[in-house]
Amino acid sequence: MTEATAYDLPDDLLRDLTPQVVAVVTRRSGDFYAAEDAVQEALVEAVRTWPERGVPEQPRGWLITTAMRRLVDAKRSESRRRDREHADHLAEPEGRETSVVDDSLDVLLLCCHPSLTPASAVALTLRAVGGLTTREIASAYLVPEKTMAQRISRAKATIKGRSLGIDGAADLAARIPAMLKVLYLLFNEGYVATEGDDLQRVDLCAEAIRLTRLARTALARMTGTGHGELGGLLALMLLLDARRPARIDAHGAVVPLADQDRSLWRDEATREGVALVDAVIGTGRPGTYQIQAAIAALHNRAPTAEETDWLQITALYGLLEKVAPGPIVTLNKAVAVGYADGPGPALALLDELLRDCATNGADGFADHPRVPAVRAHLLELAGDLDGAADAYDLASVRATNLAERRFLTSKAAALRDARC
């Protein structure tokens, strides 16, 4: 059967129903591996038939019934008629079932299980929770469909036999960090695509935001309170995504933050993101996503690039270094220092970072494409146009995204033209 997209139906109905149906079918069959495959077949059938026949009065029950039929067909082909009748009876059983919101969170947490690699967890999350087909996920990550199918199959095999559902507060707390990481990685891949011609993948950003909203709603319902880091992550996504219309010009070229037309930024997303930051900051010890959201909020609050509060941003990066130390954090801090204190101290900080990485056995970080890009920007601020052009050239060679590569190459050329 040919796979089809689930995005042609009203109000993203299938995407909202997918994790609920996966959870119900998994609980009844005791087999997530088989249940997820059966639900995917049910989704394909819905996409094929609903546009012609109309959406059923109880679409969730229809999908459960259809998925159970597929499951029964696969396991007991010699008695399909009897088992289909049984599946119909199971479509909406008597008695209380887990909340559909809790269902969605259960499946999301299972797909983000710490035993999975980040790449596998993202792929499985997009399929089992996001309702995307294997073909759509493969297209998003620019890999062959067969490769993505194998990745998803391995991910399902890895978590095969693991229970669906949360076993108390300790189990929930242990799973949340992996879920946050997967959602963050998903958004980042949409915000700056690893490969390809386009800088950003709007569909992946939107899906990451949708799933983060879902997780936040479900978690609040289960615990009775909000989760500061989940709120911070959602705020970060909204604030970054608010800038999307200004990140690319009419010719498809990348526009850096300082040069963006802020009137194009989406006010509604900014307002929601800023409100979320204000709500979660101060509710406990700030985590990495809350701090990053606070930094993003300072950018979005500034009417112009010149009015950005770089001193406060530098201080927040200093806090982030303590909460979640890492070379990327310090690299970003160097940019903030360049605006707050000048390019000289920033370049010194960058050199110190690279020395520390070499000493600690992480000298490979020097090959990261952002390192020469940041150095180029700081040299440009310092007035060393030749040095900046050379660094931009090096960054363009290392960049894997074609839109970024074109931007870096054009920066180098523009600086050399300015010297003539």
Side-chain angles (χ1 to χ4, degrees):
M1 185 177 292
T2 303
E3 289 187 329
T5 179
Y7 293 100
D8 299 330
L9 293 163
D11 300 324
D12 296 328
L13 179 61
L14 291 184
R15 290 196 296 172
D16 290 335
L17 290 174
T18 295
Q20 303 169 25
V21 177
V22 169
V24 172
V25 176
T26 299
R27 287 193 180 97
R28 294 178 192 172
S29 67
D31 187 344
F32 173 81
Y33 195 111
E36 200 279 327
D37 282 343
V39 172
Q40 285 294 319
E41 291 188 26
L43 292 171
V44 171
E45 183 69 10
V47 171
R48 188 180 67 83
T49 61
W50 288 7
E52 289 184 16
R53 302 175 187 175
V55 177
E57 290 185 9
Q58 295 184 344
R60 181 170 176 266
W62 187 99
L63 288 169
I64 293 170
T65 298
T66 305
M68 289 299 295
R69 285 174 173 169
R70 296 297 187 272
L71 200 59
V72 165
D73 286 348
K75 292 187 174 182
R76 303 176 183 176
S77 59
E78 73 283 359
S79 56
R80 287 181 178 177
R81 184 183 300 276
R82 175 173 54 82
D83 290 326
R84 283 178 177 175
E85 291 174 356
H86 182 54
D88 281 339
H89 175 68
L90 289 175
E92 291 295 337
E94 296 180 2
R96 180 183 179 276
E97 286 218 9
T98 307
S99 160
V100 295
V101 178
D102 294 352
D103 282 345
S104 298
L105 182 62
D106 286 348
V107 176
L108 178 57
L109 287 170
L110 183 61
C111 292
C112 299
H113 198 279
S115 63
L116 295 173
T117 65
S120 295
V122 168
L124 188 57
T125 298
L126 284 173
R127 175 161 157 142
V129 188
L132 275 69
T133 64
T134 305
R135 181 178 301 165
E136 288 171 325
I137 302 169
S139 175
Y141 283 90
L142 302 175
V143 299
E145 184 176 357
K146 182 178 180 181
T147 300
M148 185 54 68
Q150 292 172 341
R151 183 180 300 175
I152 292 171
S153 181
R154 286 194 298 268
K156 289 193 292 183
T158 299
I159 60 174
K160 187 174 183 179
R162 298 186 183 275
S163 61
L164 187 67
I166 308 302
D167 185 18
D171 185 29
L172 177 62
R175 296 197 196 188
I176 287 176
M179 180 185 71
L180 290 168
K181 183 176 182 180
V182 168
L183 294 171
Y184 183 64
L185 288 173
L186 175 57
F187 180 84
N188 275 355
E189 180 61 29
Y191 195 67
V192 180
T194 304
E195 297 179 334
D197 294 334
D198 299 323
L199 175 68
Q200 48 197 3
R201 287 294 311 269
V202 176
D203 53 345
L204 291 182
C205 287
E207 186 61 14
I209 291 172
R210 187 187 76 87
L211 293 177
T212 305
R213 286 190 193 279
L214 179 152
R216 187 165 182 263
T217 299
L219 200 59
R221 184 187 180 283
M222 290 180 65
T223 63
T225 60
H227 188 278
E229 274 291 78
L230 198 48
L233 178 58
L234 178 58
L236 175 62
M237 291 178 179
L238 289 167
L239 291 165
L240 294 178
D241 196 56
R243 306 173 197 164
R244 172 167 37 88
R247 295 181 67 216
I248 302 292
D249 67 16
H251 304 290
V254 175
V255 181
L257 181 62
D259 298 333
Q260 288 176 16
D261 180 356
R262 300 188 176 209
S263 68
L264 298 177
W265 289 3
R266 297 185 295 118
D267 290 338
E268 184 177 351
T270 291
R271 284 195 298 270
E272 184 182 0
V274 168
L276 268 172
V277 171
D278 292 341
V280 299
I281 290 292
T283 58
R285 183 181 179 184
T288 176
Y289 301 113
Q290 291 166 280
I291 298 170
Q292 289 182 70
I295 292 170
L298 286 171
H299 284 294
N300 284 42
R301 278 179 162 132
T304 64
E306 292 72 25
E307 295 174 85
T308 303
D309 190 345
W310 286 107
L311 286 173
Q312 191 171 351
I313 289 176
T314 300
L316 285 170
Y317 271 121
L319 178 59
L320 189 57
E321 280 184 313
K322 295 177 181 178
V323 173
I328 288 292
V329 174
T330 304
L331 187 65
N332 289 333
K333 180 183 176 182
V335 176
V337 169
Y339 284 104
D341 301 325
L347 286 165
L349 177 61
L350 177 59
D351 290 336
E352 181 183 357
L353 168 63
L354 295 178
R355 285 195 298 271
D356 288 344
C357 286
T359 301
N360 296 327
D363 48 317
F365 177 71
D367 296 327
H368 194 287
R370 283 211 64 217
V371 172
V374 168
R375 184 179 295 280
H377 183 62
L378 295 175
L379 289 172
E380 185 179 359
L381 289 178
D384 183 357
L385 302 189
D386 289 334
D390 291 341
Y392 277 127
D393 278 336
L394 179 58
S396 70
V397 170
R398 294 180 181 174
T400 56
N401 180 278
L402 295 181
E404 282 195 310
R405 183 178 296 171
R406 287 192 293 267
F407 166 73
L408 294 166
T409 301
S410 67
K411 285 288 294 183
L415 290 177
R416 290 196 173 93
D417 288 344
R419 295 289 293 166
C420 297

